[in-house]
Amino acid sequence: TPTTVTGFVTTSGQKFMVNGEDFVVAGTNAYWLAQEADEDIDTAFDDIVNAGLTTVRTWGFNDVTSPQNYGAYYQLWTNGVATFNTGDYGISRFDAVVASAKAHGIRLIVSLTNNWSDYGGMDVYVSQLNPGGTHDTFYTDSTVIAAYKNYVNEFVTRYVDEPTIL
């Protein structure tokens, strides 16, 4: 039976702890969760709990250059300007992932960009803010770095008090 998430994961020496008890990370990767309907997210977490897992790595990013009316995207890039998506197909879809994970007692490890071009990733930042730059200028171009830090701040600030996110 799943237990609702309470308390933040902390460390004690080399161990993870929750509410004074050992927390064992046994996990899987489900990058696609926010792209699904709520009932499918719940079904996925039911299966994850039934498999005895405690932790899921999922994606907290999807950068697009044109709006989409399905799944989820978190930033819309237009002529070098990123807009954080709070609309129907925006961050509320990730809120649904967090709510389901919390209800199922699952912790989330959240990736905030992708090395590859899938779901936007680093290459969208480079193409929008450093046209002609190489993939690796994600790490060196001050404008790109500032834009990524802005996104991380927006995302982390939203979930800073959420113990579901490991």
Side-chain angles (χ1 to χ4, degrees), residues 26-103:
T28 189
N29 185 44
Y31 70 89
W32 42 265
L33 286 167
Q35 302 303 321
E36 303 299 325
D38 290 357
E39 49 279 355
D40 294 329
I41 295 169
D42 288 337
T43 298
F45 280 120
D46 286 340
D47 292 343
I48 289 164
V49 167
N50 290 334
L53 303 177
T54 62
T55 309
V56 172
R57 184 182 81 128
T58 194
W59 287 355
F61 68 91
N62 188 8
D63 302 294
V64 300
T65 55
S66 60
Q68 59 188 44
N69 60 355
Y70 58 90
Y73 67 95
Y74 306 133
Q75 284 192 117
L76 172 62
W77 284 91
T78 308
N79 299 320
V81 176
T83 303
F84 193 74
N85 184 8
T86 58
D88 290 342
Y89 299 99
I91 197 66
S92 65
R93 299 305 313 134
F94 194 81
D95 292 344
V97 171
V98 172
S100 185
K102 184 175 196 144

